[in-house]
């Protein structure tokens, strides 16, 4: 599996952050049509956690991470409901071990995209340019959802 480089992440940020609302909506719709099962799975987390703020963050990072794969020159195969179901139990077990041991190696061994996982870890822990930061619950929830997204996308990247 080819790793997403930090340069591709930076390019993706430039693309996403320079879109107006209409362009961002169009990009989201394109990515939604490409991965409806994945996006449905990810968005269900916002409902499950009962966190409206998480919904917008998931959409933003979904577009950004999808764009990072594109910038790296990788296309994504369609993620199926079956792949998601097969992913959930091992992912849950990995998360339990990761949070219990606070060991980055557990995460790295499970999700072979070190730059993307490092990027998400930094994003959830640092303040935005305007000085705002995520509350602990939202940061943890976004981390869990984003790592799942990265892992699933990496499995079907080509």
């Amino acid at each position: 599996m080819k790793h997403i480089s930090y340069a591709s992440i930076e390019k993706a940020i430039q693309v996403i952050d320079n879109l107006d609302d209409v362009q961002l909506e169009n990009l989201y719709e394109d990515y939604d049509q490409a991965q409806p099962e994945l996006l449905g799975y990810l968005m269900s987390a916002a409902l499950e956690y009962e966190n409206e703020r998480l919904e917008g963050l998931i959409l933003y990072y979904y577009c950004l991470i999808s764009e990072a794969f594109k910038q790296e020159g990788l296309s994504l195969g369609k993620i199926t409901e079956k792949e998601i179901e097969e992913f959930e139990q091992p992912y849950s077990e990995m998360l339990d071990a990761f949070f219990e041991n606070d060991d980055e190696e557990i995460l790295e061994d499970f999700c072979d995209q070190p730059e993307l996982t490092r990027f998400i870890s930094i994003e959830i822990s640092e303040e935005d340019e305007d000085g705002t930061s995520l509350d602990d619950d939202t940061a943890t929830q976004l981390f869990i959802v984003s790592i799942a997204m990265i892992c699933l996308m990496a499995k079907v990247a080509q």
Side-chain angles (χ1 to χ4, degrees), residues 24 29 31 61 67 75-76 83-84 92 106 114 131 141 154:
L24 188 58
E29 287 176 12
Y31 285 138
Y61 285 102
E67 186 65 27
S75 61
L76 299 174
E83 288 169 316
I84 293 169
S92 178
I106 293 169
Q141 294 162 1

Short mmCIF file of all heavy atoms in Angstrom, two decimals, residues 24 29 31 61 67 75-76 83-84 92 106 114 131 141 154:
data_model
loop_
_atom_site.label_atom_id
_atom_site.label_comp_id
_atom_site.label_asym_id
_atom_site.label_seq_id
_atom_site.Cartn_x
_atom_site.Cartn_y
_atom_site.Cartn_z
N LEU A 24 -17.58 23.43 -2.48
CA LEU A 24 -17.42 22.41 -1.46
C LEU A 24 -18.60 21.44 -1.47
O LEU A 24 -18.42 20.23 -1.36
CB LEU A 24 -17.26 23.05 -0.08
CG LEU A 24 -16.89 22.10 1.06
CD1 LEU A 24 -15.60 21.36 0.78
CD2 LEU A 24 -16.78 22.89 2.37
N GLU A 29 -20.70 16.13 -2.86
CA GLU A 29 -21.64 15.28 -3.60
C GLU A 29 -20.90 14.27 -4.48
O GLU A 29 -21.31 13.11 -4.58
CB GLU A 29 -22.59 16.14 -4.44
CG GLU A 29 -23.62 16.85 -3.59
CD GLU A 29 -24.51 17.78 -4.39
OE1 GLU A 29 -24.51 17.73 -5.64
OE2 GLU A 29 -25.22 18.59 -3.74
N TYR A 31 -17.87 13.01 -3.90
CA TYR A 31 -17.31 12.00 -3.02
C TYR A 31 -18.40 11.13 -2.39
O TYR A 31 -18.19 9.95 -2.15
CB TYR A 31 -16.44 12.64 -1.94
CG TYR A 31 -15.10 13.12 -2.45
CD1 TYR A 31 -14.59 14.34 -2.05
CD2 TYR A 31 -14.34 12.37 -3.33
CE1 TYR A 31 -13.35 14.79 -2.50
CE2 TYR A 31 -13.11 12.81 -3.80
CZ TYR A 31 -12.63 14.02 -3.38
OH TYR A 31 -11.40 14.45 -3.83
N TYR A 61 -13.52 16.47 7.01
CA TYR A 61 -12.38 15.55 6.96
C TYR A 61 -12.58 14.44 5.93
O TYR A 61 -11.61 13.94 5.36
CB TYR A 61 -12.03 15.01 8.35
CG TYR A 61 -11.34 16.06 9.17
CD1 TYR A 61 -12.02 16.77 10.15
CD2 TYR A 61 -10.01 16.40 8.91
CE1 TYR A 61 -11.39 17.77 10.87
CE2 TYR A 61 -9.38 17.40 9.63
CZ TYR A 61 -10.07 18.08 10.59
OH TYR A 61 -9.45 19.09 11.29
N GLU A 67 -9.58 13.84 -0.82
CA GLU A 67 -8.74 14.67 -1.68
C GLU A 67 -7.26 14.32 -1.51
O GLU A 67 -6.50 14.34 -2.49
CB GLU A 67 -8.98 16.15 -1.40
CG GLU A 67 -8.27 17.09 -2.34
CD GLU A 67 -8.74 17.02 -3.79
OE1 GLU A 67 -9.90 16.66 -4.06
OE2 GLU A 67 -7.91 17.34 -4.67
N SER A 75 -6.72 6.04 -6.60
CA SER A 75 -8.17 6.02 -6.70
C SER A 75 -8.69 5.02 -5.67
O SER A 75 -7.97 4.12 -5.24
CB SER A 75 -8.62 5.63 -8.11
OG SER A 75 -8.16 4.33 -8.43
N LEU A 76 -9.92 5.22 -5.27
CA LEU A 76 -10.51 4.37 -4.25
C LEU A 76 -11.56 3.46 -4.86
O LEU A 76 -12.46 3.94 -5.56
CB LEU A 76 -11.15 5.23 -3.15
CG LEU A 76 -10.22 6.16 -2.39
CD1 LEU A 76 -11.01 7.04 -1.44
CD2 LEU A 76 -9.17 5.37 -1.63
N GLU A 83 -17.60 -5.02 3.77
CA GLU A 83 -16.25 -4.62 4.21
C GLU A 83 -16.32 -3.84 5.52
O GLU A 83 -15.47 -4.02 6.40
CB GLU A 83 -15.55 -3.80 3.13
CG GLU A 83 -15.14 -4.63 1.93
CD GLU A 83 -14.70 -3.78 0.75
OE1 GLU A 83 -15.38 -2.78 0.45
OE2 GLU A 83 -13.69 -4.16 0.12
N ILE A 84 -17.31 -2.99 5.64
CA ILE A 84 -17.49 -2.21 6.87
C ILE A 84 -17.81 -3.14 8.04
O ILE A 84 -17.23 -3.01 9.12
CB ILE A 84 -18.57 -1.13 6.68
CG1 ILE A 84 -18.08 -0.08 5.68
CG2 ILE A 84 -18.95 -0.49 8.02
CD1 ILE A 84 -19.14 0.90 5.21
N SER A 92 -12.70 -2.12 16.66
CA SER A 92 -13.10 -1.90 18.05
C SER A 92 -12.06 -2.48 19.01
O SER A 92 -11.69 -1.84 20.01
CB SER A 92 -14.46 -2.53 18.29
OG SER A 92 -14.86 -2.37 19.62
N ILE A 106 0.29 0.47 18.21
CA ILE A 106 -0.93 -0.32 17.99
C ILE A 106 -1.72 0.28 16.83
O ILE A 106 -2.18 -0.43 15.94
CB ILE A 106 -1.79 -0.38 19.28
CG1 ILE A 106 -1.06 -1.17 20.35
CG2 ILE A 106 -3.16 -0.97 19.00
CD1 ILE A 106 -1.68 -1.09 21.74
N PRO A 114 0.72 6.26 8.13
CA PRO A 114 1.28 7.04 9.24
C PRO A 114 1.11 8.55 9.14
O PRO A 114 0.85 9.20 10.15
CB PRO A 114 2.77 6.64 9.25
CG PRO A 114 3.03 6.02 7.92
CD PRO A 114 1.73 5.47 7.43
N GLY A 131 -8.10 30.24 17.19
CA GLY A 131 -7.93 29.99 18.62
C GLY A 131 -8.94 29.04 19.23
O GLY A 131 -8.88 28.79 20.44
N GLN A 141 -14.24 11.56 19.54
CA GLN A 141 -15.17 11.02 18.54
C GLN A 141 -14.64 11.24 17.13
O GLN A 141 -14.70 10.33 16.30
CB GLN A 141 -16.55 11.67 18.71
CG GLN A 141 -17.21 11.31 20.02
CD GLN A 141 -18.34 12.25 20.40
OE1 GLN A 141 -18.67 13.21 19.70
NE2 GLN A 141 -18.94 11.99 21.57
N ALA A 154 -7.86 3.17 2.89
CA ALA A 154 -6.55 2.58 2.56
C ALA A 154 -6.71 1.15 2.04
O ALA A 154 -5.94 0.73 1.16
CB ALA A 154 -5.63 2.61 3.79
#
